[in-house]
mmCIF file of all heavy atoms in Angstrom:
data_model
loop_
_atom_site.group_PDB
_atom_site.id
_atom_site.type_symbol
_atom_site.label_atom_id
_atom_site.label_comp_id
_atom_site.label_asym_id
_atom_site.label_seq_id
_atom_site.Cartn_x
_atom_site.Cartn_y
_atom_site.Cartn_z
ATOM 1 N N GLY A 160 -119.241 159.145 324.015
ATOM 2 C CA GLY A 160 -118.530 160.133 324.810
ATOM 3 C C GLY A 160 -119.461 161.192 325.336
ATOM 4 O O GLY A 160 -120.413 161.594 324.665
ATOM 5 N N GLY A 161 -119.213 161.673 326.562
ATOM 6 C CA GLY A 161 -119.966 162.798 327.102
ATOM 7 C C GLY A 161 -119.403 164.109 326.594
ATOM 8 O O GLY A 161 -118.284 164.185 326.091
ATOM 9 N N GLY A 162 -120.168 165.171 326.731
ATOM 10 C CA GLY A 162 -119.765 166.458 326.170
ATOM 11 C C GLY A 162 -118.476 166.996 326.748
ATOM 12 O O GLY A 162 -117.620 167.454 326.023
ATOM 13 N N GLY A 163 -118.284 166.960 328.058
ATOM 14 C CA GLY A 163 -117.097 167.587 328.626
ATOM 15 C C GLY A 163 -116.201 166.646 329.375
ATOM 16 O O GLY A 163 -115.255 167.061 330.001
ATOM 17 N N GLY A 164 -116.516 165.332 329.337
ATOM 18 C CA GLY A 164 -115.680 164.358 330.001
ATOM 19 C C GLY A 164 -115.934 164.260 331.484
ATOM 20 O O GLY A 164 -115.280 163.490 332.173
ATOM 21 N N GLU A 165 -116.884 165.046 332.038
ATOM 22 C CA GLU A 165 -117.209 164.980 333.451
ATOM 23 C C GLU A 165 -118.358 163.985 333.674
ATOM 24 O O GLU A 165 -119.117 163.675 332.748
ATOM 25 C CB GLU A 165 -117.612 166.357 333.969
ATOM 26 C CG GLU A 165 -116.543 167.426 333.807
ATOM 27 C CD GLU A 165 -115.310 167.163 334.629
ATOM 28 O OE1 GLU A 165 -115.457 166.518 335.691
ATOM 29 O OE2 GLU A 165 -114.222 167.575 334.227
ATOM 30 N N THR A 166 -118.492 163.497 334.882
ATOM 31 C CA THR A 166 -119.568 162.575 335.231
ATOM 32 C C THR A 166 -120.754 163.351 335.767
ATOM 33 O O THR A 166 -120.612 164.170 336.672
ATOM 34 C CB THR A 166 -119.092 161.555 336.291
ATOM 35 O OG1 THR A 166 -117.983 160.823 335.763
ATOM 36 C CG2 THR A 166 -120.213 160.602 336.655
ATOM 37 N N MET A 167 -121.941 163.113 335.219
ATOM 38 C CA MET A 167 -123.154 163.721 335.745
ATOM 39 C C MET A 167 -123.689 162.849 336.878
ATOM 40 O O MET A 167 -123.629 161.619 336.816
ATOM 41 C CB MET A 167 -124.205 163.869 334.640
ATOM 42 C CG MET A 167 -125.507 164.486 335.126
ATOM 43 S SD MET A 167 -126.704 164.693 333.802
ATOM 44 C CE MET A 167 -126.032 166.139 332.999
ATOM 45 N N GLN A 168 -124.224 163.503 337.914
ATOM 46 C CA GLN A 168 -124.765 162.779 339.060
ATOM 47 C C GLN A 168 -126.161 163.278 339.399
ATOM 48 O O GLN A 168 -126.530 164.415 339.075
ATOM 49 C CB GLN A 168 -123.857 162.942 340.286
ATOM 50 C CG GLN A 168 -122.487 162.295 340.138
ATOM 51 C CD GLN A 168 -121.688 162.426 341.412
ATOM 52 O OE1 GLN A 168 -121.663 163.471 342.048
ATOM 53 N NE2 GLN A 168 -121.034 161.343 341.798
ATOM 54 N N VAL A 169 -126.919 162.432 340.054
ATOM 55 C CA VAL A 169 -128.234 162.794 340.574
ATOM 56 C C VAL A 169 -128.303 162.324 342.024
ATOM 57 O O VAL A 169 -127.737 161.301 342.384
ATOM 58 C CB VAL A 169 -129.364 162.161 339.719
ATOM 59 C CG1 VAL A 169 -129.288 160.649 339.746
ATOM 60 C CG2 VAL A 169 -130.730 162.670 340.134
ATOM 61 N N ASN A 170 -128.991 163.115 342.862
ATOM 62 C CA ASN A 170 -129.083 162.779 344.277
ATOM 63 C C ASN A 170 -130.372 162.006 344.542
ATOM 64 O O ASN A 170 -131.467 162.495 344.274
ATOM 65 C CB ASN A 170 -129.047 164.065 345.127
ATOM 66 C CG ASN A 170 -128.886 163.755 346.601
ATOM 67 O OD1 ASN A 170 -129.800 163.238 347.225
ATOM 68 N ND2 ASN A 170 -127.721 164.066 347.138
ATOM 69 N N ILE A 171 -130.210 160.798 345.055
ATOM 70 C CA ILE A 171 -131.349 159.941 345.412
ATOM 71 C C ILE A 171 -131.205 159.548 346.874
ATOM 72 O O ILE A 171 -130.269 158.825 347.236
ATOM 73 C CB ILE A 171 -131.407 158.682 344.526
ATOM 74 C CG1 ILE A 171 -131.494 159.074 343.040
ATOM 75 C CG2 ILE A 171 -132.592 157.803 344.910
ATOM 76 C CD1 ILE A 171 -131.402 157.911 342.095
ATOM 77 N N GLY A 172 -132.119 160.067 347.717
ATOM 78 C CA GLY A 172 -132.061 159.733 349.143
ATOM 79 C C GLY A 172 -130.760 160.130 349.790
ATOM 80 O O GLY A 172 -130.169 159.351 350.559
ATOM 81 N N ASP A 173 -130.290 161.365 349.502
ATOM 82 C CA ASP A 173 -129.024 161.879 350.026
ATOM 83 C C ASP A 173 -127.814 161.073 349.580
ATOM 84 O O ASP A 173 -126.749 161.109 350.213
ATOM 85 C CB ASP A 173 -129.048 161.956 351.572
ATOM 86 C CG ASP A 173 -129.919 163.094 352.058
ATOM 87 O OD1 ASP A 173 -130.121 164.079 351.285
ATOM 88 O OD2 ASP A 173 -130.399 163.012 353.200
ATOM 89 N N ASP A 174 -127.964 160.320 348.485
ATOM 90 C CA ASP A 174 -126.840 159.540 347.950
ATOM 91 C C ASP A 174 -126.654 159.937 346.486
ATOM 92 O O ASP A 174 -127.579 159.810 345.678
ATOM 93 C CB ASP A 174 -127.137 158.039 348.071
ATOM 94 C CG ASP A 174 -125.932 157.181 347.704
ATOM 95 O OD1 ASP A 174 -124.806 157.720 347.623
ATOM 96 O OD2 ASP A 174 -126.118 155.972 347.496
ATOM 97 N N TRP A 175 -125.459 160.420 346.129
ATOM 98 C CA TRP A 175 -125.206 160.835 344.762
ATOM 99 C C TRP A 175 -124.886 159.626 343.898
ATOM 100 O O TRP A 175 -124.020 158.817 344.230
ATOM 101 C CB TRP A 175 -124.044 161.839 344.707
ATOM 102 C CG TRP A 175 -124.445 163.196 345.228
ATOM 103 C CD1 TRP A 175 -124.243 163.690 346.482
ATOM 104 C CD2 TRP A 175 -125.163 164.193 344.505
ATOM 105 N NE1 TRP A 175 -124.775 164.942 346.597
ATOM 106 C CE2 TRP A 175 -125.338 165.293 345.389
ATOM 107 C CE3 TRP A 175 -125.647 164.306 343.207
ATOM 108 C CZ2 TRP A 175 -125.997 166.455 345.009
ATOM 109 C CZ3 TRP A 175 -126.298 165.464 342.830
ATOM 110 C CH2 TRP A 175 -126.465 166.521 343.720
ATOM 111 N N LYS A 176 -125.603 159.523 342.783
ATOM 112 C CA LYS A 176 -125.432 158.402 341.858
ATOM 113 C C LYS A 176 -124.915 158.927 340.516
ATOM 114 O O LYS A 176 -125.416 159.920 339.980
ATOM 115 C CB LYS A 176 -126.769 157.678 341.618
ATOM 116 C CG LYS A 176 -127.442 157.173 342.890
ATOM 117 C CD LYS A 176 -126.723 155.967 343.441
ATOM 118 C CE LYS A 176 -127.513 155.338 344.589
ATOM 119 N NZ LYS A 176 -126.824 154.162 345.157
ATOM 120 N N ASP A 177 -123.900 158.230 339.958
ATOM 121 C CA ASP A 177 -123.405 158.588 338.632
ATOM 122 C C ASP A 177 -124.438 158.225 337.573
ATOM 123 O O ASP A 177 -125.104 157.187 337.648
ATOM 124 C CB ASP A 177 -122.108 157.845 338.314
ATOM 125 C CG ASP A 177 -120.932 158.360 339.127
ATOM 126 O OD1 ASP A 177 -121.057 159.443 339.724
ATOM 127 O OD2 ASP A 177 -119.898 157.665 339.157
ATOM 128 N N ILE A 178 -124.549 159.090 336.555
ATOM 129 C CA ILE A 178 -125.394 158.814 335.400
ATOM 130 C C ILE A 178 -124.480 158.572 334.208
ATOM 131 O O ILE A 178 -123.697 159.437 333.828
ATOM 132 C CB ILE A 178 -126.337 160.000 335.094
ATOM 133 C CG1 ILE A 178 -127.272 160.248 336.275
ATOM 134 C CG2 ILE A 178 -127.132 159.737 333.820
ATOM 135 C CD1 ILE A 178 -128.146 161.472 336.087
ATOM 136 N N SER A 179 -124.558 157.369 333.633
ATOM 137 C CA SER A 179 -123.678 157.028 332.512
ATOM 138 C C SER A 179 -124.228 157.494 331.176
ATOM 139 O O SER A 179 -123.528 157.517 330.172
ATOM 140 C CB SER A 179 -123.453 155.515 332.457
ATOM 141 O OG SER A 179 -124.684 154.834 332.312
ATOM 142 N N GLY A 180 -125.511 157.887 331.136
ATOM 143 C CA GLY A 180 -126.111 158.338 329.895
ATOM 144 C C GLY A 180 -127.432 159.019 330.165
ATOM 145 O O GLY A 180 -128.026 158.844 331.230
ATOM 146 N N ALA A 181 -127.907 159.817 329.240
ATOM 147 C CA ALA A 181 -129.176 160.514 329.406
ATOM 148 C C ALA A 181 -129.899 160.566 328.076
ATOM 149 O O ALA A 181 -129.277 160.571 327.013
ATOM 150 C CB ALA A 181 -128.932 161.931 329.936
ATOM 151 N N GLN A 182 -131.240 160.590 328.138
ATOM 152 C CA GLN A 182 -132.057 160.677 326.935
ATOM 153 C C GLN A 182 -133.168 161.695 327.147
ATOM 154 O O GLN A 182 -133.561 161.982 328.281
ATOM 155 C CB GLN A 182 -132.670 159.315 326.587
ATOM 156 C CG GLN A 182 -131.658 158.264 326.154
ATOM 157 C CD GLN A 182 -132.336 156.983 325.724
ATOM 158 O OE1 GLN A 182 -133.330 156.556 326.296
ATOM 159 N NE2 GLN A 182 -131.792 156.357 324.690
ATOM 160 N N ILE A 183 -133.656 162.251 326.038
ATOM 161 C CA ILE A 183 -134.770 163.179 326.083
ATOM 162 C C ILE A 183 -135.786 162.732 325.041
ATOM 163 O O ILE A 183 -135.427 162.226 323.977
ATOM 164 C CB ILE A 183 -134.298 164.630 325.810
ATOM 165 C CG1 ILE A 183 -135.438 165.620 326.000
ATOM 166 C CG2 ILE A 183 -133.678 164.753 324.428
ATOM 167 C CD1 ILE A 183 -134.980 167.079 325.953
ATOM 168 N N ASN A 184 -137.078 162.894 325.375
ATOM 169 C CA ASN A 184 -138.138 162.453 324.472
ATOM 170 C C ASN A 184 -138.606 163.627 323.611
ATOM 171 O O ASN A 184 -139.049 164.647 324.116
ATOM 172 C CB ASN A 184 -139.317 161.881 325.262
ATOM 173 C CG ASN A 184 -140.333 161.198 324.371
ATOM 174 O OD1 ASN A 184 -141.034 161.850 323.612
ATOM 175 N ND2 ASN A 184 -140.409 159.878 324.465
ATOM 176 N N ILE A 185 -138.466 163.461 322.290
ATOM 177 C CA ILE A 185 -138.903 164.477 321.337
ATOM 178 C C ILE A 185 -139.857 163.807 320.349
ATOM 179 O O ILE A 185 -139.453 162.928 319.594
ATOM 180 C CB ILE A 185 -137.711 165.103 320.585
ATOM 181 C CG1 ILE A 185 -136.715 165.728 321.576
ATOM 182 C CG2 ILE A 185 -138.191 166.140 319.576
ATOM 183 C CD1 ILE A 185 -135.441 166.219 320.928
ATOM 184 N N GLY A 186 -141.116 164.201 320.400
ATOM 185 C CA GLY A 186 -142.090 163.617 319.475
ATOM 186 C C GLY A 186 -142.238 162.123 319.634
ATOM 187 O O GLY A 186 -142.323 161.392 318.643
ATOM 188 N N ASP A 187 -142.262 161.677 320.887
ATOM 189 C CA ASP A 187 -142.384 160.239 321.200
ATOM 190 C C ASP A 187 -141.198 159.406 320.728
ATOM 191 O O ASP A 187 -141.295 158.186 320.595
ATOM 192 C CB ASP A 187 -143.681 159.654 320.616
ATOM 193 C CG ASP A 187 -144.915 160.095 321.386
ATOM 194 O OD1 ASP A 187 -144.780 160.473 322.576
ATOM 195 O OD2 ASP A 187 -145.995 160.059 320.821
ATOM 196 N N VAL A 188 -140.062 160.045 320.458
ATOM 197 C CA VAL A 188 -138.835 159.344 320.110
ATOM 198 C C VAL A 188 -137.757 159.732 321.112
ATOM 199 O O VAL A 188 -137.516 160.920 321.343
ATOM 200 C CB VAL A 188 -138.367 159.700 318.682
ATOM 201 C CG1 VAL A 188 -137.037 159.015 318.372
ATOM 202 C CG2 VAL A 188 -139.416 159.300 317.655
ATOM 203 N N TRP A 189 -137.134 158.724 321.738
ATOM 204 C CA TRP A 189 -136.085 158.995 322.719
ATOM 205 C C TRP A 189 -134.766 159.253 322.000
ATOM 206 O O TRP A 189 -134.329 158.468 321.170
ATOM 207 C CB TRP A 189 -135.940 157.827 323.696
ATOM 208 C CG TRP A 189 -137.063 157.775 324.684
ATOM 209 C CD1 TRP A 189 -138.180 157.008 324.634
ATOM 210 C CD2 TRP A 189 -137.169 158.561 325.876
ATOM 211 N NE1 TRP A 189 -138.992 157.260 325.708
ATOM 212 C CE2 TRP A 189 -138.398 158.216 326.493
ATOM 213 C CE3 TRP A 189 -136.370 159.534 326.471
ATOM 214 C CZ2 TRP A 189 -138.820 158.794 327.686
ATOM 215 C CZ3 TRP A 189 -136.790 160.113 327.655
ATOM 216 C CH2 TRP A 189 -138.010 159.736 328.250
ATOM 217 N N LYS A 190 -134.115 160.377 322.326
ATOM 218 C CA LYS A 190 -132.856 160.781 321.739
ATOM 219 C C LYS A 190 -131.770 160.789 322.806
ATOM 220 O O LYS A 190 -131.989 161.263 323.931
ATOM 221 C CB LYS A 190 -132.958 162.195 321.134
ATOM 222 C CG LYS A 190 -134.060 162.366 320.090
ATOM 223 C CD LYS A 190 -133.712 161.681 318.796
ATOM 224 C CE LYS A 190 -134.725 162.023 317.718
ATOM 225 N NZ LYS A 190 -134.390 161.379 316.426
ATOM 226 N N VAL A 191 -130.589 160.249 322.454
ATOM 227 C CA VAL A 191 -129.467 160.246 323.387
ATOM 228 C C VAL A 191 -128.902 161.649 323.530
ATOM 229 O O VAL A 191 -128.683 162.348 322.533
ATOM 230 C CB VAL A 191 -128.364 159.284 322.912
ATOM 231 C CG1 VAL A 191 -127.130 159.396 323.798
ATOM 232 C CG2 VAL A 191 -128.879 157.854 322.911
ATOM 233 N N VAL A 192 -128.704 162.088 324.778
ATOM 234 C CA VAL A 192 -128.084 163.380 325.073
ATOM 235 C C VAL A 192 -126.582 163.159 325.181
ATOM 236 O O VAL A 192 -126.112 162.411 326.033
ATOM 237 C CB VAL A 192 -128.630 163.973 326.383
ATOM 238 C CG1 VAL A 192 -127.908 165.287 326.713
ATOM 239 C CG2 VAL A 192 -130.128 164.187 326.295
ATOM 240 N N SER A 193 -125.816 163.773 324.269
ATOM 241 C CA SER A 193 -124.370 163.554 324.246
ATOM 242 C C SER A 193 -123.604 164.555 325.098
ATOM 243 O O SER A 193 -122.414 164.391 325.327
ATOM 244 C CB SER A 193 -123.855 163.608 322.801
ATOM 245 O OG SER A 193 -124.139 164.859 322.229
ATOM 246 N N GLY A 194 -124.275 165.618 325.578
ATOM 247 C CA GLY A 194 -123.598 166.596 326.417
ATOM 248 C C GLY A 194 -124.581 167.599 326.985
ATOM 249 O O GLY A 194 -125.707 167.736 326.494
ATOM 250 N N VAL A 195 -124.179 168.266 328.075
ATOM 251 C CA VAL A 195 -125.036 169.242 328.739
ATOM 252 C C VAL A 195 -124.237 170.527 328.952
ATOM 253 O O VAL A 195 -123.065 170.479 329.338
ATOM 254 C CB VAL A 195 -125.541 168.713 330.102
ATOM 255 C CG1 VAL A 195 -126.367 169.770 330.814
ATOM 256 C CG2 VAL A 195 -126.357 167.440 329.909
ATOM 257 N N GLN A 196 -124.865 171.687 328.677
ATOM 258 C CA GLN A 196 -124.221 172.970 328.891
ATOM 259 C C GLN A 196 -125.121 173.874 329.734
ATOM 260 O O GLN A 196 -126.347 173.729 329.719
ATOM 261 C CB GLN A 196 -123.923 173.665 327.552
ATOM 262 C CG GLN A 196 -122.884 172.958 326.690
ATOM 263 C CD GLN A 196 -122.590 173.737 325.427
ATOM 264 O OE1 GLN A 196 -123.496 174.246 324.782
ATOM 265 N NE2 GLN A 196 -121.321 173.841 325.060
ATOM 266 N N ILE A 197 -124.488 174.812 330.457
ATOM 267 C CA ILE A 197 -125.214 175.861 331.169
ATOM 268 C C ILE A 197 -124.627 177.210 330.765
ATOM 269 O O ILE A 197 -123.461 177.298 330.360
ATOM 270 C CB ILE A 197 -125.150 175.686 332.704
ATOM 271 C CG1 ILE A 197 -123.711 175.734 333.205
ATOM 272 C CG2 ILE A 197 -125.847 174.409 333.146
ATOM 273 C CD1 ILE A 197 -123.608 175.736 334.721
ATOM 274 N N ASN A 198 -125.457 178.256 330.872
ATOM 275 C CA ASN A 198 -125.016 179.588 330.488
ATOM 276 C C ASN A 198 -124.615 180.378 331.733
ATOM 277 O O ASN A 198 -125.418 180.566 332.644
ATOM 278 C CB ASN A 198 -126.139 180.330 329.735
ATOM 279 C CG ASN A 198 -125.658 181.620 329.113
ATOM 280 O OD1 ASN A 198 -125.391 182.581 329.819
ATOM 281 N ND2 ASN A 198 -125.566 181.636 327.795
#
């Protein structure tokens, strides 16, 4: 499940693409990002 139930998108060549999942590398280990927040 994503953090807020919304779909994250990225713009590639003026075309918005849905991202079904995201990962971040910490100490050469990829970790799944379960949600994103902004302040």
Side-chain angles (χ1 to χ4, degrees):
E165 301 295 331
T166 301
M167 179 178 283
Q168 294 183 317
V169 61
N170 190 290
I171 302 174
D173 287 336
D174 188 14
W175 287 97
K176 304 287 188 181
D177 289 346
I178 298 175
S179 59
Q182 293 184 322
I183 186 171
N184 190 290
I185 302 173
D187 287 337
V188 177
W189 286 98
K190 304 287 188 179
V191 174
V192 177
S193 60
V195 177
Q196 293 183 317
I197 61 173
N198 190 289

